Amino acid sequence: MSAPRPDLPAFVALRDATRADAAVIADVHQASRVAALRNIVPPEALNWMTDDERRARWEGWLSDPAWTTILGELRGQVLGFCTVGASRDPDKDPGAVAEMPTLYVHPSHWRRGIGRVLCAAAVARAAKLGFRELTLWTLEANRQARLFYTSFGFTADGATRAGD
């Protein structure tokens, strides 16, 4: 696991999310998913839940102590978030390997370094929690995400999985 890069922008304030952040996280999550995946997956795959259902789902995730969601803010506005916890992959040791199942930045703030700040925060949090490795999954067709993660030092391990 690599240390956070020192050249990341310092303008983003980081804090742990609470259940009170569920609605804004759900909104950022949905806006980012639609913008990133609209040419990759069918529209019904992006809009299968209502706003209330997305918020309720995030309230549940934010209530689970196994996961930490880190928010990136600028003057109190949530720009993006990431989540870190023990790996759920059956071939990984959950005591040694962390997983980052989410890293989303609102599309109006893409390419400003916010994703890098959040990714560095996830790497640092995983290390602080005692994990030796951090993994993630992304769609093969999501070239933008793959380029981002590769530029950050992640490497594809060849594993694939269907659905989730």
Side-chain angles (χ1 to χ4, degrees):
M1 182 176 303
S2 61
R5 293 175 39 156
D7 61 336
L8 298 175
F11 61 89
V12 176
L14 300 176
R15 69 172 174 88
D16 288 355
T18 68
R19 278 190 63 176
D21 297 306
V24 71
I25 291 171
D27 290 346
V28 169
H29 189 189
Q30 181 65 3
S32 183
R33 286 179 70 246
V34 168
L37 302 176
R38 68 176 165 249
N39 296 320
I40 298 173
V41 300
E44 59 272 11
L46 295 173
N47 297 304
W48 61 277
M49 284 194 290
T50 67
D51 290 344
D52 287 341
E53 289 168 331
R54 281 190 285 276
R55 180 193 41 74
R57 180 174 270 203
W58 270 103
E59 285 176 352
W61 287 336
L62 292 167
S63 298
D64 186 343
W67 297 98
T68 298
T69 299
I70 304 166
L71 299 181
E73 297 179 316
L74 178 61
R75 293 186 291 278
Q77 178 188 8
V78 174
L79 308 177
F81 65 92
C82 64
T83 305
V84 177
S87 176
R88 299 170 291 175
D89 292 336
D91 63 334
K92 301 292 184 189
D93 174 359
V97 181
E99 176 182 355
M100 182 172 56
T102 68
L103 191 157
Y104 289 91
V105 174
H106 194 280
S108 64
H109 298 286
W110 283 357
R111 293 179 180 70
R112 295 183 184 176
I114 297 154
R116 295 191 74 75
V117 170
L118 288 165
C119 198
V123 169
R125 182 62 60 92
K128 182 178 179 181
L129 293 171
F131 295 105
R132 296 188 309 265
E133 184 180 349
L134 178 65
T135 64
L136 60 94
W137 290 94
T138 189
L139 294 174
E140 279 186 47
N142 191 346
R143 182 168 151 69
Q144 177 177 305
R146 288 182 166 273
L147 288 171
F148 170 82
Y149 292 121
T150 299
S151 77
F152 205 90
F154 286 89
T155 56
D157 63 7
T160 61
R161 69 181 186 190
D164 211 357

